[in-house]
Amino acid sequence: MNPAHWDAFVAIPHQTQGAVGSAPAKWAMTCGLDAVPDVTSLPTQPLTRQQVRDICLDPTRPVLFGFVCAMAWGEQQKRNAKLSWKARLVLQKNLERLRGGGLTRAQAFDLFAGKNWILGLGPAYFSKLLYFFSPAPTDYIMDQWTARSVNMITGRKVALMAGDYVSGYSTGEHYQAFCEEIDAMAAALGCAGQDIEERLFSQGGRKPWPWRA
């Protein structure tokens, strides 16, 4: 651990994010997505993390309905949303596998990485799907904020970066190492790994939370 960064992180109280992102109904309409399952049932308000997980893990909900909720939560850009939606049959297959469980972190990541890459869906966004669709909340979101945070705190290049973004060359092995570092932080603080990931993710905007700042 880098003592200065770790001490600064530990000193910041855990703030829960609450509802963030866009309302799924509005996001799907703005992005012009067609053939969204149960489109009239899409939530009309932004969702919390737990609400998105509940939807994505609900066996009565089509996985693509959950996909829209997850991407709206993360505010995927319109261009990328349109590109990834074109591969919705592949997405459906992958998300059903995730929701079924039984995959290691590396296997889950590699469903979307390397030769399985889906246009418009980089690691920062497909790792959100890993978190929301995996039965246990231990497949963490690896975006630029959490990845850079883990690299800073550990003093190691656990997550591959390309400038400000998670590199598309990241593999399941990189993701496994990233998640294990979060598990180690959670063990040190006596809390759940998803709480550490939420603290690392922090919150941006005009007045970013202390760790993000």
Side-chain angles (χ1 to χ4, degrees), residues 29-155:
M29 182 176 65
T30 300
C31 294
L33 304 189
D34 62 327
V36 176
D38 297 344
V39 65
T40 57
S41 297
L42 284 172
T44 56
Q45 299 293 328
L47 302 172
T48 66
R49 281 176 174 244
Q50 190 57 52
Q51 287 173 323
V52 177
R53 265 188 61 80
D54 289 344
I55 289 169
C56 291
L57 294 175
D58 184 347
T60 69
R61 288 289 191 189
V63 290
L64 292 178
F65 183 97
F67 171 82
V68 169
C69 292
M71 294 299 99
W73 179 89
E75 294 192 292
Q76 186 188 31
Q77 293 181 351
K78 180 177 179 180
R79 177 178 177 275
N80 290 332
K82 285 179 149 317
L83 285 172
S84 57
W85 192 245
K86 289 180 180 179
R88 58 188 176 273
L89 294 180
V90 176
L91 279 170
Q92 179 177 342
K93 179 181 177 181
N94 288 351
L95 295 177
E96 287 173 349
R97 285 195 66 191
L98 279 176
R99 191 157 73 179
L103 298 174
T104 66
R105 287 160 162 169
Q107 288 170 336
F109 190 88
D110 285 337
L111 285 176
F112 299 91
K115 61 182 176 58
N116 297 322
W117 182 54
I118 294 172
L119 284 176
L121 198 66
Y125 278 88
F126 72 68
S127 64
K128 290 177 175 62
L129 299 176
L130 306 192
Y131 174 73
F132 288 123
F133 279 92
S134 295
T138 53
D139 289 3
Y140 309 120
I141 297 171
M142 188 172 75
D143 73 348
Q144 63 165 316
W145 303 108
T146 58
R148 287 196 295 180
S149 294
V150 167
N151 286 352
M152 282 175 58
I153 289 172
T154 63

